[in-house]
Amino acid sequence: MYRVPLATYRVQFNAGFTFEDARHIAPYLAELGITDLYASPILKARKGSTHGYDVTDGTSLNPELGSEEQFTALHEKLEELGLGLLLDVVPNHMAASQENSWWMSVLENGPHSRFLHYFDIEWGPVTAKGHTENKVLLPILGKPYGEAIESGEIKLAFDPDGFYFTYFDKRLPLAPKSYGRVLRECVESLPKEGVAIELRDLIEGDQTVRNSRFLKDTLTRIYESSTDFRAALDATILGFNGAPGTPDSFNDLDTLLDSQYYRLAYWRIASEKINYRRFFDVTDLVGVRVENPEVFEARNRRTLELIAEGKVTGLRIDHPDGLFDPIGHMTKLQLRLAEPGAPQPHSFYIVVEKILAKNEELATAFAVAGTTGYDFLGSVNAVFVDPAGLQRLTKFYRNFTGMTETFDDICYERKKQVIQELFSGEMRGLGKQLGELSMHDRNARDFTPTELLTALTEITACMHVYRTYVRAGATADTDRRYTREAVDWARRRAGTTIDERVLNFLQSVLLVEPPSYLAEERERWLAFVMRWQQFTGRVMAKGVEDTSFYNYNRLISLNEVGSEPGRDGSSDPVDEFHLRNERIGRDWPHTMNGTSTHDTKRSEDVRARISVLSEAPESWERDAKRWSEMNAPLRKGSVPDANEELLIYQTLLGMWPLDDDDTDTVNERLRQYLEKAAREAKTHTSWISPDAEFEKSLVDFASAILDHEAFRATFMRTQKRVAFHGFLNALSQLVLKLTSPGAPDFYQGSEIWDLSLVDPDNRRVVDYEKRASMLRKLKSGVERGSLDIATMLRRWFDGRIKLFVTWRGLDARKRHADTFRDGSYSRLRSESPNVCAFMRGDGIVVAVPRLTSRLGRAGTPPVGEVWGNSVLEGIPPGEWKSVFTGDPLSVTGAETRLAEIFARFPVAILEKQ
């Protein structure tokens, strides 16, 4: 089954929004015009998970979301309404948690675990007590190991699941081979007859302890039946757990811990010592080797069953760039899902969460329908930024903050920073592998480990894409270009500090182009590159999205995943938008188009507001300078600096509530946001080394300006102007999403105004009753002919207008489904820089305003004669009708006045009659 959604609606499942809740809102979504529910992960995750990406069991549904019966009831309701279910799946990682039985088996049994090869672990030697063993490093301790054990925080315990260690809420199993160490202490205190005989038999010989289940069951039986054994074991455990203040009392516990297949360690050494692949730098999410056929089947078992049962009709693949072979994984998945006679390679609807960099295109080798839409977000976002205004903002930003670095400069430095602070161990591991490769090349064997590591770090920091996709037997021309560009940039930035010969050697390795005398080394070179490719995306994500985005505050609406914070204003964003849509319509007509997600830094409506600043940069410059001077007495020392101050003012403009009743929440939300933003920036504070004094000064400044009456008065004047033109931007953005090639995606609640910031702000509870009630009234008004367009436009702030445009646009998509699915697209031209317009097929015209500050003052919508004599060229002659107002439009020539297209409403979708 290859079901292509017409429109998707993303919901975040958790204990507060369950299968039953989704079933309840399904009729509303169908009424709105949604065709597919788009669900966050639903497989069993850690208890209390708010997102579901920390999967603990790939074979069962998450009980916190509901039972199998409740999920079936949801499916039946969706099927009744004709809705599909697009499911978010997480192949790259799982929770490194006691709730994950596969992970616990590896920790307990080490090389004897049947799940040993399920996880991406480098079983190299880990030093402990003067010797080395193959262990998993677990950096979970809140203090150095010695302090943690001698303070009594690590304890030995026993229950029917065997012996285990506790560290606060964490539980860690004992290896069966170490049971004898505990039991011998216990048996020596028991009478030589009775249970002692059975216990001695139990602990003698390795073969008797390998069957851990038998061992645990036997011990539990004896423990429950023998008071002598119970008392002896409890006393033995008490002895192992030592007495705080008496260091030597913990010697036995230390020895017991050292005999496990894992080593407990201080969390701060994770970046240097960890030996399993993580999701980015998250220690409690472990990489899964889903490229292994057995692991692929086990990890996807329940998902494949749900698809076979017809309960899941599409997949969204989370973080594909973390996979060993993303292209191979998608091909394997399509082949696994193929039905007899189904078209290849697209047997099933799949989209990937692929972040595309500037000028990067999704590799055609991906057997998918497209991406989750961050590339659309970036393209449509730029449409509402004035290029000339952006250039003026750049000059002001540099003068105001004293920052001379370009965004590219910041990305380069911050990627090197995260390599050092978050991934130094992984990078050293790659450097070691590279050194081993160099020893086989007579022209590279004299390169020192330091030279190789430095060059590899430099090239990684100079990558402008998340990763390349070099794989066995295939190196695409684009991958060659991206790699060569990175090496070239490394040469420029490093200058003479790196030997040119080292960079040449690395380029050959990364392109898997060994010299002829090293042909037999090709497979080893490829293995290294496959590993490196998994790493570069992590550096890009943490160095750019989660660091650079918070350090470059020129115009923060551009600081978004898929967008271009460093745009220089030299290109035409409308032309770029059309070029992108033409390409997508041709190559990926069924892709997804998103504008807000659970991961965006700001909601679509917040970005739409902030972009207004580019339309009047002189006004913004005056405001920022005035506010900075006005609020200077509220600073504590140099906190905030000028860059942080710009972040605060722009954030306030974007997030300021439309309802006065909600203004009381601004302070709390802003403080929460600024603490996260400051830590992500990693300049004055960070998650690893938080500076409490700095953070308090920063958030206290933000709170103080909110109570500053003079500031608030001038701020509100600017805010009202920005909010009005921001609403027009948001409405235009919505129409472009509804009508561009691809399926529009709606993040939960965003069908009316949503002024959310980054998570957790964008995970707030959605009032669906309010939205359903608004939709019913809108539909009733249209049916009765009583809907007052002018009043709805005048009262834009109540959210009805966004819901109205969403509903009417989705209704048009359904009525013209073939047109919107086939990818046809042709731009329409106008001499006015204030319009973006195109056609879908030969029967749909789309036109929206942009840069509306030029068209009229705040409060004056861009309708009617506001447009003067401006025209749109290329609409075919004939009779047309507005999807929003129902007004007819007769086109008789090659040009159509914009005043007629936007006669009563500021955005237009026209249908050929």
Side-chain angles (χ1 to χ4, degrees), residues 341-466:
Q344 297 293 337
H346 302 293
S347 305
F348 196 73
Y349 184 80
I350 299 175
V351 289
V352 287
E353 188 208 19
K354 170 62 186 169
I355 315 300
L356 297 169
K358 181 181 179 181
N359 298 324
E360 182 186 11
E361 298 178 12
L362 183 65
T364 56
F366 272 99
V368 298
T371 73
T372 54
Y374 285 115
D375 47 315
F376 175 81
L377 183 158
S379 181
V380 77
N381 196 27
V383 168
F384 303 100
V385 175
D386 185 342
L390 189 61
Q391 292 178 337
R392 175 70 182 260
L393 288 179
T394 302
K395 294 178 182 178
F396 163 64
Y397 180 63
R398 290 174 178 171
N399 292 333
F400 187 77
T401 64
M403 292 179 62
T404 58
E405 302 95 333
T406 65
F407 182 69
D408 286 343
D409 293 336
I410 292 172
C411 290
Y412 166 72
E413 293 296 340
R414 296 301 180 155
K415 282 191 276 187
K416 291 180 75 171
Q417 179 185 358
V418 299
I419 288 172
Q420 175 61 33
E421 294 181 1
L422 306 180
F423 305 122
S424 59
E426 288 97 327
M427 181 55 85
R428 276 201 309 274
L430 288 168
K432 181 180 178 182
Q433 293 177 46
L434 188 60
E436 293 170 354
L437 296 182
S438 73
M439 293 304 295
H440 293 266
D441 186 345
R442 61 176 177 257
N443 288 304
R445 67 178 58 181
D446 290 334
F447 298 150
T448 68
T450 300
E451 286 181 302
L452 292 168
L453 181 60
T454 300
L456 184 62
T457 299
E458 200 73 21
I459 292 171
T460 302
C462 288
M463 288 285 291
H464 84 275
V465 295
Y466 279 69

Side-chain angles (χ1 to χ4, degrees), residues 687-718:
W687 297 105
I688 294 176
S689 300
D691 185 329
E693 183 178 352
F694 168 83
E695 291 174 3
K696 185 176 187 305
S697 297
L698 181 66
V699 299
D700 284 352
F701 172 83
S703 296
I705 66 174
L706 292 176
D707 293 331
H708 191 324
E709 292 185 8
F711 163 73
R712 191 151 171 167
T714 62
F715 169 80
M716 289 307 299
R717 285 195 292 272
T718 298

Side-chain angles (χ1 to χ4, degrees), residues 486-550:
V487 175
D488 287 344
W489 272 107
R491 286 192 183 97
R492 295 176 205 170
R493 291 195 180 275
T496 59
T497 62
I498 298 179
D499 190 324
E500 175 74 11
R501 291 167 295 187
V502 178
L503 290 172
N504 291 338
F505 170 67
L506 258 70
Q507 177 169 293
S508 296
V509 172
L510 297 178
L511 293 175
V512 197
E513 295 177 347
S516 57
Y517 61 84
L518 282 178
E520 71 279 2
E521 289 292 302
R522 179 181 173 80
E523 290 304 312
R524 295 185 67 213
W525 283 29
L526 176 62
F528 170 80
V529 172
M530 297 286 280
R531 207 68 176 144
W532 176 72
Q533 290 177 142
Q534 284 184 283
F535 178 68
T536 59
R538 298 165 67 188
V539 173
M540 189 79 162
K542 297 306 294 183
V544 179
E545 294 175 35
D546 291 347
T547 307
S548 300
F549 278 7
Y550 292 93

